[in-house]
């Protein structure tokens, strides 16, 4: 079985973002943080599987960037498993939830990415009580933009609904 990664040239936009990252590698300026509040029953396993299905569907989410002899290149992993840690905040009072989530969201949004090692998508889930969760998703702009975030959210809803019902993904 071929386990090699695929290497491709970068687009002009990716080259610009890669160059800016070289100038200021610890900068979170191009992070795209998203905070999603989830009310109701949540099947955490189905959510984890959903995010990994999305990663397997989209090469950009498996992409890192290497400095080649002629400049940066895209390195697309054949596969990648995204870890989604779950943090239990149920011991906090409801009044402390907003402050805590706000603080954690700011910290996550400011955490830099390493474009050469990836992944360039991070996810973590916070349980506030049995029916309230907050999902943090953060991507680097080099692999995502506003339009692709819309695609991600539509796929997240569609695939999660199927996986939570123990059905296969309905997406081709």
């Amino acid at each position: 079985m071929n386990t090699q990664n695929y290497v491709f040239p970068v687009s002009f936009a990716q080259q610009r973002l890669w160059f800016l990252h070289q100038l200021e590698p610890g900068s979170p300026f191009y992070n795209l943080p998203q905070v999603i509040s989830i009310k109701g029953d949540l099947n955490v396993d189905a959510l984890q599987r959903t995010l990994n299905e999305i990663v397997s569907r989209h090469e950009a989410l498996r992409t890192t960037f290497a400095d080649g002899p002629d400049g940066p290149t895209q390195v697309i992993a054949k596969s990648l498993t995204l870890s989604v840690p779950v943090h239990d905040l149920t011991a906090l009072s409801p009044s402390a939830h907003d402050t805590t989530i706000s603080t954690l969201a700011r910290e996550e949004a400011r955490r830099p990415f390493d474009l050469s090692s990836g992944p360039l998508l991070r996810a973590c889930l916070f349980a506030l009580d049995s029916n309230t969760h907050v999902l943090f998703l953060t991507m680097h702009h080099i692999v995502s933009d506003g339009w692709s975030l819309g695609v991600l959210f539509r796929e997240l809803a569609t695939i999660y609904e199927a996986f939570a019902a123990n059905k296969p993904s309905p997406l081709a």
Side-chain angles (χ1 to χ4, degrees):
M1 180 174 161
N2 183 0
T3 59
Q4 294 282 27
N5 295 328
Y6 304 104
V7 178
F8 294 99
V10 297
S11 70
F12 289 118
Q14 289 172 324
Q15 187 173 28
R16 179 178 52 90
L17 289 166
W18 179 86
F19 177 75
L20 292 170
H21 182 78
Q22 301 310 302
L23 291 176
E24 200 172 345
S27 172
F29 190 69
Y30 293 101
N31 289 4
L32 299 174
Q34 301 296 311
V35 178
I36 303 163
S37 185
I38 303 168
K39 303 283 186 198
D41 289 335
L42 178 66
N43 181 327
V44 175
D45 180 59
L47 178 64
Q48 171 89 37
R49 289 183 19 238
T50 297
L51 289 169
N52 279 298
E53 176 71 12
I54 291 168
V55 167
S56 74
R57 292 173 49 78
H58 298 281
E59 291 176 341
L61 300 177
R62 298 188 317 272
T63 300
T64 56
F65 296 84
D67 189 10
D70 298 322
T73 58
Q74 295 183 73
V75 180
I76 302 171
K78 284 190 73 144
S79 66
L80 177 106
T81 301
L82 187 66
S83 172
V84 184
V86 179
H87 304 279
D88 185 354
L89 302 180
T90 58
L92 295 178
S93 69
S95 62
H97 287 156
D98 286 344
T99 304
T100 303
I101 291 298
S102 235
T103 300
L104 294 171
R106 268 193 311 279
E107 289 172 5
E108 174 56 28
R110 292 179 182 149
R111 193 160 56 107
F113 284 98
D114 180 346
L115 299 185
S116 64
S117 66
L120 302 181
L121 164 65
R122 292 190 298 256
C124 58
L125 183 68
F126 295 86
L128 305 183
D129 61 45
S130 62
N131 289 311
T132 309
H133 294 80
V134 177
L135 177 65
F136 290 179
L137 295 175
T138 309
M139 290 179 274
H140 194 281
H141 188 43
I142 200 167
V143 296
S144 184
D145 58 18
W147 182 84
S148 58
L149 285 174
V151 172
L152 178 115
F153 293 138
R154 283 190 302 277
E155 289 190 8
L156 183 67
T158 301
I159 297 170
Y160 174 79
E161 184 178 344
F163 284 2
N166 291 315
K167 295 180 181 175
S169 172
L171 302 179

